[in-house]
Amino acid sequence: MIAYIGIGGNLGDALATVERAVQALRTSLPASQCLRVSSLYRSAPIDAGGPDYVNAVAELCTTLSPEGLLQALQALEQAEGRERPYRNAPRTLDLDVLLYGAQRLDSPALTVPHPRMNERAFVLLPLAELWPQGVSAAALAAVADQRIERL
């Protein structure tokens, strides 16, 4: 199954953390192969709190179930000291399952496609690098006012 993973962080050395996460996706994720990774981007926090984020998107081929993939990603987050004090809190590392093939899933633990991905330039721009036919010009235009820059 082809899955797209959103990668981001804004606490500590976010650039180094995201680079370590990319390396972990390439070498340590069970039953998965990292096919490609987008450019890195710097973006403003959605709620304007905390420092800027470093973001990317990875394309994986995996035999993990969506829930198994989420668990493996959360283990990588924990290894980087991820805490969840409140919704959208600044974080060392955030790994989100954006898409899992064409599957749709809505459970208490996981919603796929990611429910807010079309509202976020930091998801759509790197995703469009990897899967241009999957991101419409209208979707990109809708987030054009969000501050984001390619690193």
Side-chain angles (χ1 to χ4, degrees):
M1 184 67 65
I2 299 297
Y4 290 93
I5 308 302
I7 308 165
N10 75 331
L11 292 179
D13 187 344
L15 179 59
T17 301
V18 167
E19 288 173 341
R20 281 193 305 274
V22 167
Q23 185 62 20
L25 291 174
R26 287 184 169 137
T27 62
S28 305
L29 200 64
S32 303
Q33 178 185 7
C34 184
L35 302 175
R36 298 183 293 160
V37 178
S38 73
S39 300
L40 299 180
Y41 289 81
R42 181 183 329 276
S43 64
I46 291 292
D47 61 8
D52 285 353
Y53 278 81
V54 175
N55 300 99
V57 169
E59 179 184 54
L60 305 178
C61 180
T62 187
T63 58
L64 293 171
S65 68
E67 297 83 0
L69 180 57
L70 177 64
Q71 290 174 352
L73 295 174
Q74 288 177 340
L76 295 176
E77 290 176 342
Q78 290 301 313
E80 289 291 341
R82 171 76 189 263
E83 296 179 1
R84 298 173 188 272
Y86 55 90
R87 184 178 173 91
N88 293 328
R91 58 208 68 170
T92 53
L93 180 62
D94 187 29
L95 299 171
D96 289 326
V97 179
L98 303 173
L99 297 162
Y100 187 88
Q103 288 191 23
R104 297 193 172 277
L105 176 66
D106 191 1
S107 74
L110 180 62
T111 302
V112 176
H114 190 286
R116 292 171 302 283
M117 66 184 249
N118 286 319
E119 301 167 9
R120 297 175 171 171
F122 65 82
V123 172
L124 293 179
L125 268 68
L127 180 61
E129 277 186 43
L130 301 178
W131 190 40
Q133 68 275 22
V135 180
S136 71
L140 291 171
V143 298
D145 63 334
Q146 295 177 23
R147 185 173 59 83
I148 185 169
E149 65 179 301
R150 188 184 306 208
L151 297 177

